[in-house]
C-alpha cells in the first residue's frame, strides 16, 4: 500500500489510516491512495466495514490549499468524486475523527455513513476564510444531516465546533472516552454496525432540508447578514449553495456546489485570502531563529501603566492563565485600571462569552503595585507608559536596576527608537519592542520590534509568547513607526492634503470604506485621538520639517481641542457614536488652502483611491527594500490585522500585485508630475518598485 495511507484488515474491519503529515491535506496523491484503499476494502469479501482515521491522531485539515488555483486542485481523482464514490460503497464506513476534521476533512467524514469523535475533536467548514465554500459535498450533505440553519451558520462563520456540540448537533454519532481509545472505540462501533446489519449509510435526519424551514428564511437571512458581507463573494456563494440544497435533489445540488466552488476558487478574493493564510504561517519563520533556538520561560508578566493600553495588554496574559502584576504611579490610577479590566471582562460575561467563574479566575491572576521592587521576579516586563522617549528611557533605567537577570524588557512604543531605549540599560540584548494595537485584548496584530542588540532567544521567546496569547506576531526592524505607523504616515498625508485640495473627510473615508477597509483615515484618527496623532507627529517633526503643510489641518484641530470622538468633535462631529459632517472643518480647510496657496478643485474618487493607496504601497515597498520588513506578506499582515485593511484584498502589497505594479508606478509618476511642488516633494517612487517594474516582475520581493 502507498505510504500516504496505512491499510490493515483486522477482524472483518479494514482500517485505513491517513498518513500525510502534518495535517493529512487531501492533495491528489492522498486522494488517489485513499480511493484505492477504499476500493480494495470494498472488494475484499473478508471486509465487512471500513474505518478511516488519522494515522498520527489528527484526522484531516481538508483539501490541500497549495493546490488551489492550479490544475492539481481537480486532478483525478478529484475530491468531490472520491467522496461521492465513498457514499456509494456497499459497506459501512466509520470516520474516527481525532483532533480535527476541517473543510474537506469534515466532508470526508460526512461521506462516511457513521462518525465518532473524541473529547478534543473539533470540526468545521472554514472554507469561507479562504474565500471558498465547501466544494466536496459539504454544502449539500451537512444540511441533510443537521438541518439548514445550523449548517448555514457553520459555513458562514467558518467556526470550529467542539466535540460536545458536534455530538448535540448530530455531526458525530458518539464520542470515545479519550483520544487514545478513539480507534478502538471506532472499531467497536463498526462491529456493532456489522452485528446489527446496519446499512452502509443510515437515512438522513433532514432528507428534505427545505422541510420545516420558514418560507422567508433565506430572504430574512440575507437582509440581516448581507451588510456585514460588504463586497465579499464567498458568503454569497455559500448562501447560494445551501439554498440549492433546499431546492434541488442531491445530485443536482452537488453539481451546483461544484460550479459555485470553481467560481470561488478562480476569484481574486480567494487568491488573496489564500495568500494571507500562507503569509500568517510564513511570518513565524525568522532568519537566525529555528527550533533549536532556546526559549526563556515566561511564568510571570509585569505591565507598567494600567491605562487602557496597559490593562488590555495585561488581559492577554490573564486569559491564558499567566499571572500579571500591573504597576502604576498612583493608587487611584491603579484602582481605575483594575476596575476597567473587570468591567471589560463583565461585558464578555453579559455576552455569554465568559462565565462569572472565569472572570474571577482571571481577575485573581491580576495584581497591582506602586513599587518597582515588586517587579523583581517578572520574566517579562512590558512598558506601556506615555509615548515620550525620555519618559520611557527613565522607566527602562529603573527596570535595569530592579529586574532579575534574563528578564525580557519590552516597550510598547508605537513609533520611538527601541535602540535608544535599549541603550540606557546595561542589557540591551534583553530589550525588545512589543507593539500591541488598541484595544490590546482584542486586536490580533503584535509588531515585534527586533532592535539592534536584541538576542535571538528574546526574539524567539516573544514570538512564541505572542502566538500563545492568540496574536499574529510580525517582526519589524527599528525605524520611526515600524511597519504599520510608518506606512500610515504617507497614507494619512494624502488624505489630509486631498481635503485641502477640495475633497471632504467623508468623501475620502467613503472611498476607503468603499474598498471594504473597516474605516477611513479620518474616522480612524477621530477614534484614536487627534491629540495622540498630533503628539506622535510632533515627535517626528524634524523629518517632515521641509513641508509639513499637509499637517496643518490636524494641527489646527488639535489646537482647537477637537480631539475626535472623545471630545465630540474632530474631523467630524459626533452625537454619541453617530458621525456627522462638520462644515467648520470644511471652512477650516478652505482657509488653510488659501494660506498655503493650494488651489481648491473638485477631487474625484479615483484620485483619492490612487493617491492614498499608491503612497501606502510605495512606503511598504520601501520598508521591504530597507529590510525593516522581512517579506511583503508581513506587511500585508500588519495592515490587515492592525489597520482594518480587508483580508479579501490580501493586504496592500498583494493588492498592488493584483492591481499591477506597473500601474502603481505609472500612477505615482503621474502625480509626481501633475501636482507641482507638492508632487515633486512627495511622489518619489520607491527604488525597489522601479527595479521590480523594470525587471518585469509582478510580485513584490527584494531584488
Ligand atoms: C477545502 O477543504 C476545500 C474543500 O471543501 C473542497 C475541495 C474541492 N492544506 O497552521 P499550522 C500546513 S479548503 C495545505 O502552522 P497549526 C500549513 O501551511 C481547506 N497545507 O499548524 C503549515 O505548513 P508549514 C479547508 C496545510 O497547528 C502546516 O500545515 N481547511 C493545510 O497552528 C501546519 O499548519 C482549512 O482551511 C491545508 N489544508 O494549525 C484548514 N492546513 O509548516 C486550514 C495546514 O509548511 N488549516 N497546512 O508552514 C488550519 O486551519 C490550520 O493549519 C490547522 C493547524 C488548524 C489545521
Amino acid at each position: 500500500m502507498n505510504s500516504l495511507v496505512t491499510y490493515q484488515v483486522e477482524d472483518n474491519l479494514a482500517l485505513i489510516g491517513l498518513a500525510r503529515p502534518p495535517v493529512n491535506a487531501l492533495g491528489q496523491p492522498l486522494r488517489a491512495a485513499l480511493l484505492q484503499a477504499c476500493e480494495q476494502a470494498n472488494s475484499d469479501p473478508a471486509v465487512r466495514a471500513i474505518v478511516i482515521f488519522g494515522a498520527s491522531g489528527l484526522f484531516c485539515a481538508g483539501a490541500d490549499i497549495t493546490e488551489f488555483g492550479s490544475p492539481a486542485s481537480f486532478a483525478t481523482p478529484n475530491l468531490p468524486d472520491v467522496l461521492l464514490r465513498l457514499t456509494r460503497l456497499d459497506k459501512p464506513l466509520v470516520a474516527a475523527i481525532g483532533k480535527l476534521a476541517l473543510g474537506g476533512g469534515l466532508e470526508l467524514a460526512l461521506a462516511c455513513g457513521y462518525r465518532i469523535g473524541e473529547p478534543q475533536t473539533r470540526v468545521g467548514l472554514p472554507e469561507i476564510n479562504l474565500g471558498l465554500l465547501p466544494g466536496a459535498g459539504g454544502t449539500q450533505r451537512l444540511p441533510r444531516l443537521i438541518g439548514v440553519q445550523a449548517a448555514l451558520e457553520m459555513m458562514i462563520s467558518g467556526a470550529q465546533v467542539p466535540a460536545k456540540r458536534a455530538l448535540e448537533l448530530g455531526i458525530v454519532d458518539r464520542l470515545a472516552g479519550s483520544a487514545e481509545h478513539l480507534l478502538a472505540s471506532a472499531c467497536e462501533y463498526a462491529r456493532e454496525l456489522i452485528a446489527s446489519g446496519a446499512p452502509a449509510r443510515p437515512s438522513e435526519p433532514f432528507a428534505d432540508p427545505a422541510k420545516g424551514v420558514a418560507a422567508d428564511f433565506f430572504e430574512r437571512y440575507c437582509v440581516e447578514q448581507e451588510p456585514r458581507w460588504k463586497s465579499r463573494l464567498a458568503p454569497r456563494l455559500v448562501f447560494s449553495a445551501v439554498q440549492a440544497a433546499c431546492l434541488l435533489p442531491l445530485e443536482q445540488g452537488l453539481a451546483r456546489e461544484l460550479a459555485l466552488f470553481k467560481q470561488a476558487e478562480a476569484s481574486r478574493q480567494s487568491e488573496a485570502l489564500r495568500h494571507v493564510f500562507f503569509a500568517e504561517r510564513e511570518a513565524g519563520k525568522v532568519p537566525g531563529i529555528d527550533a533549536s533556538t532556546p526559549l526563556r520561560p515566561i511564568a510571570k508578566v509585569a505591565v507598567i501603566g494600567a491605562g487602557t493600553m496597559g490593562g488590555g495588554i495585561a488581559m492577554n496574559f490573564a486569559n491564558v492563565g499567566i499571572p500579571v502584576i500591573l504597576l502604576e504611579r498612583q493608587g487611584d490610577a491603579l484602582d481605575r485600571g483594575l476596575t476597567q479590566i473587570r468591567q471589560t471582562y463583565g461585558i464578555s460575561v453579559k455576552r455569554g462569552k465568559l462565565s462569572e467563574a472565569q472572570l474571577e479566575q482571571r481577575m485573581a491572576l491580576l495584581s497591582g503595585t506602586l513599587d518597582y521592587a515588586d517587579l523583581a521576579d517578572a520574566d517579562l516586563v512590558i512598558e506601556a507608559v506615555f509615548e515620550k522617549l525620555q519618559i520611557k528611557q527613565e522607566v527602562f533605567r529603573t527596570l535595569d536596576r530592579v529586574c532579575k537577570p534574563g528578564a525580557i524588557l519590552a516597550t510598547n512604543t508605537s513609533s520611538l527608537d527601541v535602540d535608544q531605549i535599549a541603550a540606557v540599560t546595561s542589557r540591551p540584548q534583553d530589550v525588545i519592542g512589543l507593539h500591541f494595537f488598541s484595544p490590546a485584548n482584542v486586536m490580533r496584530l503584535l509588531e515585534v520590534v527586533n532592535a539592534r542588540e536584541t538576542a535571538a532567544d528574546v526574539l524567539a521567546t516573544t514570538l512564541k509568547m505572542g502566538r500563545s496569547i492568540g496574536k499574529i506576531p510580525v517582526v519589524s526592524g527599528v525605524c520611526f513607526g515600524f511597519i504599520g505607523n510608518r506606512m500610515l504616515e504617507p497614507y494619512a498625508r494624502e488624505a489630509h492634503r486631498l481635503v485641502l485640495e477640495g475633497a471632504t473627510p467623508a468623501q475620502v473615508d467613503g472611498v476607503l470604506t468603499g474598498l471594504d477597509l473597516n474605516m477611513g483615515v479620518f474616522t480612524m484618527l477621530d477614534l484614536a485621538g487627534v491629540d495622540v496623532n498630533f503628539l506622535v507627529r510632533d515627535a517626528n517633526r524634524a523629518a517632515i520639517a521641509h513641508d509639513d503643510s499637509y499637517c496643518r489641518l490636524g494641527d489646527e484641530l488639535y489646537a482647537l481641542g477637537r480631539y475626535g470622538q472623545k471630545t465630540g468633535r474632530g474631523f467630524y462631529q459626533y452625537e454619541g457614536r453617530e458621525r456627522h459632517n462638520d462644515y467648520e472643518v470644511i471652512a477650516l480647510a478652505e482657509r488653510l488652502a488659501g494660506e498655503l496657496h493650494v488651489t481648491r478643485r473638485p477631487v474625484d474618487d479615483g484620485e483619492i483611491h490612487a493617491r492614498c493607496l499608491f503612497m501606502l504601497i510605495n512606503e511598504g515597498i520601501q520598508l521591504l527594500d530597507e529590510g525593516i520588513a522581512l517579506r511583503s506578506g508581513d506587511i500585508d499582515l500588519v495592515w490587515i490585522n492592525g489597520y482594518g485593511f480587508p483580508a479579501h484584498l490580501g493586504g496592500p502589497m498583494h493588492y498592488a500585485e493584483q492591481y499591477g505594479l506597473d500601474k502603481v508606478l505609472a500612477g505615482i509618476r503621474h502625480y509626481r508630475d501633475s501636482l507641482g511642488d507638492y508632487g515633486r516633494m512627495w511622489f518619489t517612487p520607491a527604488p525597489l518598485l522601479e527595479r521590480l517594474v523594470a525587471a518585469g516582475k509582478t510580485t513584490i520581493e527584494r531584488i
Side-chain angles (χ1 to χ4, degrees):
M1 187 58 54
N2 186 311
S3 64
L4 293 175
V5 295
T6 61
Y7 185 88
Q8 214 177 327
V9 177
E10 236 176 55
D11 200 12
N12 293 133
L13 300 180
L15 308 181
I16 299 175
L18 306 174
R20 188 187 180 211
V23 295
N24 291 328
L26 289 160
Q28 190 279 337
L30 180 56
R31 298 195 297 264
L34 172 65
L35 182 61
Q36 192 200 339
C38 289
E39 294 292 6
Q40 183 175 340
N42 199 42
S43 57
D44 182 347
V47 171
R48 296 185 58 199
I50 302 166
V51 176
I52 302 179
F53 65 103
S56 58
L58 184 146
F59 185 69
C60 176
D64 187 337
I65 301 169
T66 60
E67 287 185 345
F68 292 133
S70 80
S73 82
F74 277 87
T76 316
N78 68 46
L79 194 58
D81 287 351
V82 171
L83 300 191
L84 189 62
R85 174 66 189 139
L86 262 52
T87 63
R88 292 177 175 168
L89 299 183
D90 46 22
K91 297 174 183 176
L93 270 89
V94 177
I97 307 174
K99 291 184 186 155
L100 279 179
L102 297 179
L106 179 55
E107 291 174 299
L108 165 60
L110 296 175
C112 299
Y114 304 90
R115 288 160 300 278
I116 176 168
E118 39 93 0
Q120 301 309 318
T121 295
R122 283 171 292 139
V123 300
L125 291 172
E127 284 87 344
I128 199 156
N129 300 327
L130 297 166
L132 298 169
L133 59 147
T139 65
Q140 308 302 301
R141 294 193 183 105
L142 194 62
R144 287 173 165 83
L145 185 67
I146 65 170
V148 166
Q149 269 160 277
L152 186 58
E153 163 60 26
M154 261 180 79
M155 291 180 231
I156 292 286
S157 71
Q160 294 182 11
V161 176
K164 255 172 85 181
R165 180 74 185 136
L167 184 65
E168 283 163 12
L169 285 169
I171 298 174
V172 292
D173 313 318
R174 54 172 80 175
L175 294 177
S178 69
E180 294 71 43
H181 290 112
L182 175 64
L183 186 55
S185 304
C187 292
E188 203 177 294
Y189 188 15
R191 278 191 286 270
E192 284 173 30
L193 294 170
I194 296 170
S196 64
R201 290 185 74 74
S203 56
E204 285 155 326
F206 296 85
D208 177 2
K211 215 165 117 189
V213 174
D216 63 348
F217 169 73
F218 285 107
E219 201 180 318
R220 273 193 298 115
Y221 190 88
C222 225
V223 170
E224 273 170 32
Q225 300 288 328
E226 259 209 312
R228 283 188 222 161
W229 297 344
K230 298 185 178 168
S231 55
R232 286 162 64 211
L233 178 65
R236 293 175 170 85
L237 298 184
V238 166
F239 181 80
S240 298
V242 175
Q243 233 177 349
C246 290
L247 297 171
L248 303 173
L250 181 64
E251 210 156 309
Q252 288 176 32
L254 289 172
R256 173 87 179 121
E257 176 196 78
L258 187 60
L260 293 168
F261 181 88
K262 289 194 169 171
Q263 184 187 344
E265 186 191 359
S267 71
R268 284 180 158 218
Q269 292 189 4
S270 176
E271 188 195 326
L273 286 162
R274 288 175 342 238
H275 154 76
V276 174
F277 176 84
F278 289 113
E280 281 185 16
R281 273 128 199 107
E282 276 297 299
K285 297 168 190 160
V286 177
I289 284 179
D290 58 29
S292 69
T293 311
L295 297 173
R296 300 188 188 183
I298 306 276
K300 185 170 180 189
V301 173
V303 177
I304 301 174
T308 315
M309 188 46 106
I313 293 173
M315 289 172 77
N316 287 297
F317 295 95
N319 292 349
V320 297
I322 298 178
V324 190
I325 184 163
L326 278 146
L327 183 138
E328 257 296 346
R329 278 183 308 181
Q330 309 283 344
D332 53 346
L334 187 58
D335 292 344
R336 266 201 310 277
L338 288 166
T339 307
Q340 178 61 51
I341 294 176
R342 181 174 280 279
Q343 279 169 357
T344 310
Y345 278 136
I347 295 171
S348 301
V349 171
K350 271 202 198 108
R351 291 186 181 153
K353 292 188 172 164
L354 206 68
S355 69
E356 279 287 351
Q358 283 170 318
L359 180 154
E360 293 305 333
Q361 271 165 15
R362 291 177 194 193
M363 288 308 297
L365 289 166
L366 294 158
S367 58
T369 183
L370 303 177
D371 186 353
Y372 270 94
D374 291 336
L375 273 43
D377 62 345
D379 301 301
L380 166 66
V381 184
I382 304 172
E383 158 282 307
V385 303
F386 193 71
E387 185 76 359
K388 212 163 175 46
L389 185 64
Q390 291 75 7
I391 297 178
K392 291 195 188 272
Q393 284 176 327
E394 200 42 50
V395 168
F396 272 75
R397 279 189 198 99
T398 313
L399 291 178
D400 194 24
R401 276 198 307 276
V402 301
C403 291
K404 67 180 180 186
I408 296 175
L409 309 181
T411 169
N412 178 51
T413 179
S414 57
S415 58
L416 300 173
D417 185 334
V418 182
D419 289 329
Q420 287 189 38
I421 295 174
V424 302
T425 72
S426 62
R427 37 173 135 176
Q429 74 282 0
D430 296 340
V431 177
I432 194 160
L434 289 181
H435 180 206
F436 288 83
F437 285 69
S438 190
N441 54 319
V442 176
M443 297 289 282
R444 291 193 71 203
L445 178 64
L446 178 63
E447 268 184 323
V448 177
V449 186
N450 188 19
R452 194 170 45 229
E453 296 193 46
T454 304
D457 64 341
V458 169
L459 182 59
T461 305
T462 48
L463 288 172
K464 177 152 188 284
M465 177 279 298
R467 281 189 291 275
S468 72
I469 58 171
K471 303 291 177 199
I472 298 181
V474 176
V475 176
S476 170
V478 174
C479 69
F480 178 82
F482 317 124
I483 296 174
N485 280 343
R486 179 158 146 197
M487 288 170 71
L488 181 63
E489 188 60 32
Y491 169 72
R493 180 188 70 227
E494 284 316 301
H496 284 86
R497 171 76 188 195
L498 283 157
V499 170
L500 288 183
E501 289 179 25
T504 64
Q507 187 194 1
V508 173
D509 283 357
V511 169
L512 300 171
T513 53
L515 265 180
D516 281 359
L517 267 99
N518 279 355
M519 54 181 96
V521 172
F522 298 111
T523 310
M524 184 172 71
L525 290 175
D526 273 359
L527 188 67
V530 172
D531 53 336
V532 175
N533 183 251
F534 173 84
L535 294 173
V536 171
R537 181 168 60 243
D538 223 33
N540 192 38
R541 194 67 75 168
I544 50 173
H546 55 297
D547 176 21
D548 67 351
S549 58
Y550 69 90
C551 308
R552 287 280 298 280
L553 186 56
D555 290 353
E556 294 243 359
L557 291 179
Y558 173 76
L560 290 168
R562 297 183 59 132
Y563 294 168
Q565 260 196 39
K566 61 186 164 195
T567 57
R569 288 186 156 206
F571 286 94
Y572 298 95
Q573 323 182 17
Y574 296 86
E575 277 170 39
R577 285 187 159 201
E578 218 167 291
R579 195 172 62 231
H580 301 287
N581 291 329
D582 188 337
Y583 292 97
E584 273 183 32
V585 175
I586 314 283
L588 182 60
E590 278 169 2
R591 174 170 67 73
L592 288 172
E595 287 171 20
L596 295 163
H597 308 293
V598 174
T599 312
R600 295 208 21 113
R601 62 193 165 86
V603 176
D604 72 43
D605 288 357
E607 182 172 350
I608 293 172
H609 167 267
R611 287 175 57 179
C612 291
L613 268 289
F614 292 174
M615 281 295 99
L616 179 74
I617 292 163
N618 198 50
E619 196 69 24
I621 294 176
Q622 180 61 24
L623 280 171
L624 185 67
D625 204 15
E626 290 172 20
I628 299 292
L630 291 172
R631 45 183 95 78
S632 67
D634 286 3
I635 297 172
D636 287 333
L637 293 180
V638 166
W639 268 73
I640 290 169
N641 296 291
Y643 298 82
F645 201 94
H648 59 266
L649 296 183
M653 299 293 98
H654 186 82
Y655 182 73
E657 290 171 354
Q658 285 194 336
Y659 194 90
L661 298 183
D662 51 345
K663 289 200 193 117
V664 172
L665 178 60
I668 293 172
R669 286 178 173 156
H670 166 76
Y671 290 112
R672 179 191 61 195
D673 298 340
S674 61
L675 292 174
D677 287 346
Y678 178 83
R680 282 186 291 278
M681 178 90 67
W682 294 110
F683 280 78
T684 305
L688 176 58
L689 174 60
E690 290 185 314
R691 294 202 297 279
L692 287 166
V693 173
K697 300 267 185 195
T698 52
T699 54
I700 299 173
E701 60 195 285
R702 217 175 278 137
I703 55 169

